[in-house]
Amino acid sequence: MSEPTVDQLLSALSEAAELGAGRVPEGELETVRRIAGRASERRALSSEHTVVGFFGATGSGKSSLMNALAGESVARTHVRRPTTSVPLAAVWNPRGASDLLDWLQVSDRRIMDRPFAADRDGRGQDLSLILIDLPDFDSVALEHRAIAERLAGQVDVLVWVVDPQKYADAVIHRDFIAPLATHASVTAAVLNQVDRLPEHEVGRVVDSLRGLLRGDGLERVQVLPVSATQGTGIDDLRRLIARFASERKAASQRLAADVRGAAARLEAAGVPGKLRTADAQALERGLGTAANVDAVAQAVASSYRKRAGQITGWPLTAWLLRLAPDPLRRLHLSFGRDRRDAGQHRAEVNRTGMPPMNAAQRAQAGLAVRSYADAAAAGLGEGWTAAIHEHAADALESLPSELDRAVARTDLGARGSWWWPLLAALQWLALVVAVIGGIWLLLPILLPLWSMVAPVIPQVEGTESWLDGWPIPLVGLIGGVLLGIVLGIIGALVGGAIGAARRSRARRRLRKQVSAVAHASIVLPIEGERERAREFAVAVARASGRKR
């Protein structure tokens, strides 16, 4: 698989910065934008020239090293420190280098006539090269350190120059080398002034420097022992720099390393973890409890039983049920709706008559929403976590009214049943029979009072049962009353069973509506934030040169 180009890395970094706006600390984004802008500026300048910067502490011999490489005295050296107050550039093949040096803000320039290095045949190589001698980064003059820090972010190749006395100095390792550990491919380390060490000590000091560089994150950086005054190792360093210049890859490698380093600063934002089904279920259960789903479902069952009793109960006592308020009507909830008016009902904005959420219900809703937000934010940094919890807080503000409307628009399915009129007709028939039988029994007593002939009361005959000899009106009276009571008991049992089934169905429908509210008000906004975080993580991975 081919390495991504600098343009691809820059595009991914810009996308990451855009996605991270408001979620990643602005200081980090500003650094990323600055690095991306600097990389874009460098790409617009000479791609032929390789810029090599010499960085080091006071007395490390950077200027002497540059003079030795140039083969002539281009940099001022002196025992008095510091000697370099402004950066100095030695330029080979100056065509096209002026704009690049202007961008580097290096005004002191020396055009070199002699070739920097010879090829295998001994002929001078035509290299487009710029060597820069920089001020000491540990100078007592703060502006010197500022120049060194700025150019450390601009040159193509970084050469860290140390001496046997200060090679372990924490300042260069902590403040300069370690932060640029991702730039190993364009980094070299020079242990200068090895002539001051006993010959048998040189290898030990070089190994010690390698160990320090590994601790800084530079595993495979070449360490060259050099003496600028005696010429030891100068040819090796010259060949290394010539290789950088001849390959013409250092600028792109440096820019790629800059982008990767910037992307690494964004990786702390994290990657969203996977939400479990149980997390969404816990949210829906919590909101269902806060919305009084079970109470409304119980009201459906109670309302069904009450209305069934009113219609199918014994007419002489069923009217008493009408004195109690209907549980659903008390909540301003309908029994159900026909299919033909379902669409119109959904278009209406409904509210129930249920009391507002109390403190316990609000706490239950808040706990459910915050727990879901915590699960959704797992693996993410502070910025993304804060954004997710902000969405959760916004949802909590409107949640009471949204849940109330969800309950109001639910088809509770508490309408009456087909068997109610049938059982009611039987009840009234039994009552009529009982009333006729009772009146018939009273006629022999009441008619003589008005001098009227009393009718003969017929009796049951020929049944060959215990009913034989019973007055027919009395059988009608007792039978009608008993039948009404039995029908009332049957109606109550059937109504209770169907009411329980309606309660379960209403609970399912209510939970579906609560789930829709949870999805629209909480899950979708939070998932949108998580998707943005995923896209951000993918962009960061691409900017780091990784595929995700």
Side-chain angles (χ1 to χ4, degrees), residues 255-445:
L255 295 179
D258 283 344
V259 174
R260 290 189 178 101
R265 302 175 69 96
L266 301 178
E267 289 178 349
V271 181
K274 185 177 181 181
L275 278 172
R276 302 172 302 163
T277 303
D279 296 321
Q281 291 174 343
L283 171 66
E284 292 170 6
R285 282 197 302 271
L287 296 187
T289 300
N292 275 326
V293 164
D294 289 338
V296 174
Q298 183 57 45
V300 169
S302 299
S303 173
Y304 184 88
R305 288 196 303 268
K306 175 182 181 299
R307 287 178 290 118
Q310 289 173 190
I311 295 174
T312 66
W314 194 35
L316 296 181
T317 57
W319 64 273
L320 295 173
L321 294 174
R322 299 181 183 275
L323 301 179
D326 187 280
L328 285 180
R329 292 296 189 194
R330 188 170 55 210
L331 299 177
H332 296 181
L333 294 173
S334 64
F335 302 133
R337 52 186 179 273
D338 296 331
R339 292 181 181 177
R340 58 178 176 271
D341 63 3
Q344 179 182 356
H345 186 87
R346 281 193 296 269
E348 297 173 355
V349 178
N350 299 295
R351 290 187 179 275
T352 70
M354 292 191 295
M357 281 188 184
N358 56 35
Q361 289 171 313
R362 286 183 176 274
Q364 178 69 34
L367 177 62
V369 173
R370 284 189 291 272
S371 296
Y372 183 80
D374 288 339
L380 293 173
E382 292 183 4
W384 297 103
T385 299
I388 286 175
H389 280 279
E390 185 176 345
H391 284 299
D394 291 342
L396 278 173
E397 290 294 324
S398 60
L399 205 53
S401 59
E402 290 294 334
L403 290 175
D404 189 76
R405 281 194 288 267
V407 172
R409 64 174 172 260
T410 302
D411 181 2
L412 298 174
R415 296 180 297 276
S417 297
W418 60 269
W419 57 273
W420 287 6
L422 178 62
L423 206 60
L426 293 176
Q427 281 283 21
W428 284 103
L429 179 62
L431 180 61
V432 168
V433 170
V435 169
I436 291 174
I439 294 174
W440 199 348
L441 287 174
L442 290 175
L443 289 179
I445 299 173

Side-chain angles (χ1 to χ4, degrees), residues 157-186:
V157 178
L158 302 117
V159 178
W160 303 107
V161 182
V162 296
D163 62 81
Q165 289 74 37
K166 293 184 178 180
Y167 76 91
D169 192 328
V171 174
I172 188 172
H173 288 279
R174 182 189 65 239
D175 296 351
F176 280 84
I177 298 179
L180 293 168
T182 56
H183 297 61
S185 62
V186 289

Side-chain angles (χ1 to χ4, degrees), residues 13-14 16-18 20-39 41 258 262-263 265-266 536:
L13 186 64
S14 298
E18 182 179 349
R23 304 295 181 264
V24 177
E26 188 58 33
E28 295 289 345
L29 289 179
E30 187 58 36
T31 299
V32 168
R33 294 188 189 104
R34 185 169 62 251
I35 291 173
R38 190 169 63 208
E41 290 170 358
D258 283 344
R265 302 175 69 96
L266 301 178
F536 172 83

Side-chain angles (χ1 to χ4, degrees), residues 52 54 64-72 92 112 114-119 124-125 127 129 131 159 188 190 222 224-226 228 231-246:
V52 179
F54 293 97
S64 299
L65 186 63
M66 183 165 172
N67 289 337
L69 288 168
E72 60 182 84
W92 283 264
M112 309 305 297
R114 67 172 63 187
F116 177 76
D119 58 20
Q125 290 181 269
L127 299 176
L129 176 65
L131 299 186
V159 178
V190 172
Q222 189 167 355
L224 299 175
V226 170
T232 305
I234 292 297
D235 288 340
D236 293 334
L237 179 57
R238 184 179 286 112
R239 279 192 292 270
L240 177 62
I241 293 174
R243 178 172 60 81
F244 278 123
S246 62

